[in-house]
Amino acid sequence: QLERIDAATERLPVARDYQPMFLGAGWSPVGADESGGFVLSLSPEAELLLPCTPACASVRLQLSTEAGGTEVSLMVDGTPLPAQPLVAGWRSYTWALPAGVGSAGMHTVVLKPGRQVRLADVLVTTR
């Protein structure tokens, strides 16, 4: 289901026709701008289903927001990961997954952006 980028990185392009099955609560339908396709967060928490095969070592989200000044955090299968400063414009935000999180299989990822954001791609590195 993920597109292989290199030996250790896979990508989940959320704006493709077959990807809505991975978008849970809190997302808009797919939209597009001059940068390409994206989905928009519609609530303080937006959910993704993330397949990891094999185990995932990190998650990187390509996000855009109109204004910074808040933080964005991530929770994977109920495990909170550290918040990061949210910066205006398109940026990549990476979270390392601690041991015991991101084993092979499907995982629930909850994005907590603090404000409305656009999500273009989800990249994972494997263990």
Side-chain angles (χ1 to χ4, degrees):
Q1 299 289 338
L2 300 177
E3 296 176 355
R4 177 127 334 253
I5 303 278
D6 58 36
T9 309
E10 295 180 315
R11 177 173 68 137
L12 176 65
V14 298
R16 298 280 172 83
D17 291 341
Y18 61 92
Q19 298 306 350
M21 71 181 87
F22 296 107
L23 297 174
W27 297 106
S28 72
V30 172
D33 64 11
E34 65 279 354
S35 299
F38 63 87
V39 291
L40 189 64
S41 65
L42 299 176
S43 64
E45 295 186 354
E47 182 181 59
L48 294 163
L49 296 177
L50 183 65
C52 289
T53 50
C56 292
S58 69
V59 176
R60 182 171 66 211
L61 304 180
Q62 294 178 337
L63 301 174
S64 173
T65 186
E66 297 298 320
T70 64
E71 293 184 327
V72 59
S73 63
L74 203 66
M75 188 166 51
V76 179
D77 294 336
T79 300
L81 302 178
Q84 299 180 32
L86 188 61
V87 179
W90 282 105
R91 302 282 187 268
S92 289
Y93 299 85
T94 303
W95 287 269
L97 300 181
V101 176
S103 59
M106 291 296 284
H107 300 278
T108 301
V109 176
V110 177
L111 176 68
K112 298 179 179 187
R115 69 174 64 236
Q116 195 170 62
V117 296
R118 294 176 178 177
L119 171 66
D121 285 327
V122 178
L123 293 101
V124 296
T125 57
T126 56
R127 296 188 197 273

